[in-house]
Structures are given as C-alpha cells and as structure tokens.
Amino acid sequence: MAHTTKDKEKLLNRIRRIKGQITAIEKALEDDQECSKVLQTIAACRGAINGLMAEVMEGHVRYHVIDPNRKPTSAQAEAAEELIEIVNRYLK
C-alpha cells in the first residue's frame, strides 16, 4: 500500500487547511487589506505547502526508496534519515 493511501485522511486534512489559507489570501486582496497582512498570509500558506511537501517526500523515501519489506542496511537507513533531515531543513 502506498504511504499516501495509508495517510490519505491526514494529507487531505492538510490540503483543506491550505485551501482555507489560499481563500484567506484571496479575501485579503479583495478587501484591500494591508500588504503586511497579505504577505503574512502568503508566508503561512507557503509554510503549509512546504510542510506537506516534506511529509510526502519523507513517506516516499521510507516506502519507495527504502523497501519497507526488507530490513535496510545500517548505511541505507542512515542515508535515508540524512536525506529526510536535509529535505526537512531545506523546506523550513
């Protein structure tokens, strides 16, 4: 089973929150709100998208790069953890 199927409801909830943030950006622009408010909302949305990306990438590494049905070597496990850490750091 794919990790996105296993975590489907959690991922969909994140998407729904991101949709709400995008709607808030649209509303802020329609309501002629201050640019600082618009920028803050955009930054929050970008952070949410990055968090979603990091979560899906981590699952991809854990379930597709490293075969979950076979015990990885310690070097493979360490490399996978390093990659996940780098992706998380990059997306923050």
Side-chain angles (χ1 to χ4, degrees):
M1 171 181 355
H3 63 94
T4 53
T5 302
K6 185 175 113 318
D7 297 330
K8 182 178 183 176
E9 197 57 38
K10 185 169 94 170
L11 294 172
L12 287 173
N13 285 335
R14 288 183 82 138
I15 291 294
R16 290 178 188 115
R17 285 192 299 274
I18 291 167
K19 276 188 197 176
Q21 290 174 315
I22 290 172
T23 300
I25 294 168
E26 181 180 24
K27 184 171 177 1
L29 291 170
E30 287 173 347
D31 294 347
D32 296 323
Q33 291 187 5
E34 293 293 322
C35 62
S36 61
K37 169 77 172 165
V38 174
L39 288 168
Q40 183 178 15
T41 309
I42 292 169
C45 187
R46 187 178 92 188
I49 292 275
N50 284 348
L52 176 64
M53 175 71 84
E55 186 169 345
V56 173
M57 286 181 99
E58 179 176 346
H60 182 75
V61 170
R62 292 190 189 283
Y63 290 92
H64 300 292
V65 176
I66 299 293
D67 185 354
N69 297 318
R70 295 177 42 190
K71 185 166 174 54
T73 66
S74 60
Q76 289 171 325
E78 185 177 329
E81 290 302 319
E82 285 175 0
L83 177 59
I84 290 166
E85 186 179 316
I86 288 167
V87 167
N88 284 330
R89 203 174 315 133
Y90 175 77
L91 291 174
K92 288 204 176 198

